Amino acid sequence: MTLDNTSSFAPIEMPAVQTRLTQAEEQVLLRVLREGKTLAAGPEMEAFEKEWTAFTSCADSMAVCNGSAALELSAILSGLESGSEVIIPAHTFVSTAVPFARTGASVRWADIDPETRLVTAGTIEPLLSPRTKVIVVVHLYGLTVDMDPIMALAGRHGALVVEDCAQAPGARYKGRRVGSIGDFGCFSFHTHKNITTLGEGGMLSVRDKKHGEQARRLRWMGNWPFPGPRERYWLPAMGDLVEPIPGRWPHNFCMGEPNCAVGRLLIKRIDRINSQRQRQAQRFMHPFLDFGEISFQTVPEGCQHVYHLMSARYDGWACGKTRDDLIQLLHEKYNLKCIVQYWPLHRTELFSRHGFGLADVPETDRFFDNMISFPWWSDMPEDLIDDMAERVRLAIDELRTG
Ligand SMILES: Cc1ncc(COP(=O)(O)O)c(C=O)c1O
């Protein structure tokens, strides 16, 4: 069968940008550019970090060039090395795992809960060993992981906890913002995220202030001010070059000043963006209450969903149909372009070739093989949401009888 589209429906597909800047925000950006203050590590970055620290109630925050860099810093600061083990969800975006795999530690893949589609203390516990140094959790699709039992487990085993918050900035777990619960919180401000700082950007939040200073030393190639005053300001050089932490080379993970200026503006309206996405999610999901084949993530008590993505599982086995039948029909007849996320990492060439191709994660496999992700962005018009839901209902009905 061909995938050519001959539908009479108007196309619906994921846009390039999730959240657009307002005109007032564009003016602030213009001010930064006109003042010419674009030298990295300037006043916008300093202010953005302070405001993010206050927003998340963590001990310290470091602005970085993207979410992958934040994860990379947390992997380095965790002190992982060959011989140690790190537990990571098999169901996540690749950036969650590469920084940890690169350290030489062994990756143990954790399964997901079939209802929330997130890791839990129950899926992590069987993987713990005396060599476990780090547990990585991901607030995937925008839903917060049930953190308390995981923090208790980590505490008993002396493991550090890294929260990958790329998809859930501003989400709360039992009243606390994500990124302030574990030892490290890693945020992404990529174009596809709920808030974006002009395409790329990220933040590392830490619980221990010591990690804040270490991250800053790692972030800009070991450039560091000399301690105290110098008799002649130009000697021995403009700045010192330090070993950021024992035995480690530094990186350049700096975030630009215009990006930080935009980040500061978006902190002010992130809660509004997230609430709006919650409202549009309720509107989209409601028409499927009587459609047993489609199930969305369950949101447990105390957890919050900020709907970075609109993912669902399609169980069409009762009428002999698969997720691929549904995506194909939606694409060809209804001009609705859905996608599949996230390839279980142990099943990919990248991780198999590096020796991480084995995992016992049946729920991850089941979800991935049946999942469907709908086009989704901030400020989706209500009539478009209704239209999309109607097309999906029609397609599911058709698969029941066809
Ligand atoms: C779960 C998750 N972790 C990490 C990242 C990496 O963020 P970035 O693209 O900013 O490097 C992303 C998104 O891209 C993500 O979705």
Side-chain angles (χ1 to χ4, degrees):
M1 211 182 298
T2 140
L3 282 181
D4 286 348
N5 194 298
T6 51
S7 170
S8 56
F9 288 85
I12 309 180
E13 62 182 293
M14 199 76 108
V17 182
Q18 281 279 318
T19 304
R20 296 196 164 272
L21 290 187
T22 62
Q23 283 185 355
E25 288 165 351
E26 286 171 9
Q27 290 309 312
V28 174
L29 187 55
L30 268 181
R31 174 188 55 77
V32 175
L33 298 179
R34 286 191 180 130
E35 287 172 357
K37 291 184 182 158
T38 53
L39 184 64
E44 295 295 340
M45 185 193 79
E46 202 179 310
F48 186 29
E49 291 179 344
K50 282 203 180 104
E51 286 158 16
W52 193 262
T53 299
F55 173 69
T56 55
S57 303
C58 62
D60 198 1
S61 307
M62 275 61 54
V64 285
C65 52
N66 52 46
S68 304
L71 285 153
E72 198 77 50
L73 286 175
S74 68
I76 296 169
L77 295 172
S78 302
L80 280 169
E81 65 216 341
S82 164
S84 45
E85 288 178 3
V86 50
I87 298 173
I88 304 177
H91 182 62
T92 183
F93 184 66
V94 54
S95 295
T96 310
V98 168
F100 297 91
R102 202 195 318 273
T103 61
S106 286
V107 176
R108 311 278 327 262
W109 298 116
D111 205 359
I112 53 171
D113 171 82
E115 305 301 322
T116 60
R117 289 126 205 199
L118 305 178
V119 288
T120 65
T123 65
I124 290 169
E125 190 159 19
L127 303 172
L128 284 163
S129 84
R131 297 193 296 159
T132 308
K133 234 175 176 172
V134 177
I135 298 169
V136 183
V137 302
V138 186
H139 305 294
L140 201 66
Y141 302 118
L143 175 60
T144 60
V145 169
D146 187 7
M147 292 300 293
D148 282 350
I150 295 175
M151 293 307 294
L153 204 57
R156 287 200 296 279
H157 286 263
L160 294 171
V161 174
V162 177
E163 294 178 74
D164 182 337
C165 312
Q167 302 194 356
R172 292 177 190 271
Y173 169 73
K174 297 188 178 171
R176 287 170 286 162
R177 302 268 190 197
V178 294
S180 65
I181 304 162
D183 298 277
F184 300 100
C186 305
F187 296 87
S188 163
F189 308 129
H190 181 268
T191 293
H192 281 164
K193 298 298 183 285
N194 285 22
I195 58 169
T196 175
T197 51
L198 306 177
E200 292 277 352
M203 191 70 84
L204 172 68
S205 292
V206 297
R207 196 156 66 147
D208 182 343
K209 273 188 180 290
K210 168 191 83 188
H211 286 140
E213 169 154 344
Q214 291 176 338
R216 287 196 174 84
R217 293 163 74 108
L218 280 161
R219 176 176 58 183
W220 189 37
M221 283 294 162
N223 286 284
W224 203 249
F226 287 106
R230 282 176 291 151
E231 215 172 289
R232 288 186 288 178
Y233 69 86
W234 65 94
L235 292 179
M238 283 307 286
D240 203 358
L241 270 187
V242 299
E243 185 187 37
I245 55 174
R248 301 305 304 227
W249 288 102
H251 298 261
N252 182 357
F253 288 158
C254 293
M255 185 173 180
E257 284 287 282
N259 309 72
C260 290
V262 169
R264 294 181 63 198
L265 296 170
L266 286 168
I267 292 179
K268 296 195 180 94
R269 65 179 175 105
I270 185 167
D271 284 338
R272 259 180 293 140
I273 292 170
N274 287 343
S275 309
Q276 194 272 333
R277 293 175 82 104
Q278 285 164 344
R279 280 193 301 278
Q280 66 185 48
Q282 295 312 322
R283 191 173 183 103
F284 178 70
M285 293 187 297
H286 190 261
F288 297 99
L289 285 177
D290 55 348
F291 275 62
E293 299 98 320
I294 282 277
S295 61
F296 299 96
Q297 282 173 291
T298 304
V299 182
E301 182 89 30
C303 296
Q304 198 183 38
H305 205 322
V306 293
Y307 294 97
H308 165 58
L309 291 168
M310 179 46 70
S311 71
R313 199 178 67 214
Y314 170 68
D315 293 308
W317 38 266
C319 48
K321 294 298 189 308
T322 67
R323 175 271 318 273
D324 301 323
D325 295 325
L326 178 60
I327 292 185
Q328 186 158 358
L329 183 60
L330 286 170
H331 177 63
E332 288 181 350
K333 180 165 179 186
Y334 294 100
N335 217 352
L336 175 59
K337 195 167 183 186
C338 297
I339 56 169
V340 170
Q341 292 155 310
Y342 287 98
W343 202 352
L345 294 175
H346 62 286
R347 285 162 59 174
T348 64
E349 179 187 292
L350 178 63
F351 286 93
S352 306
R353 286 275 169 89
H354 283 277
F356 304 124
L358 291 179
D360 180 17
V361 289
E363 292 301 339
T364 294
D365 289 326
R366 180 160 82 102
F367 180 62
F368 176 71
D369 294 336
N370 296 287
M371 84 85 65
I372 174 165
S373 187
F374 299 97
W376 199 245
W377 61 94
S378 295
D379 294 320
M380 262 179 106
E382 289 188 346
D383 55 353
L384 189 67
I385 294 172
D386 296 345
D387 180 6
M388 183 163 84
E390 185 53 21
R391 294 186 204 189
V392 179
R393 282 169 59 99
L394 288 171
I396 293 175
D397 257 341
E398 216 168 306
L399 291 175
R400 282 175 182 168
T401 52

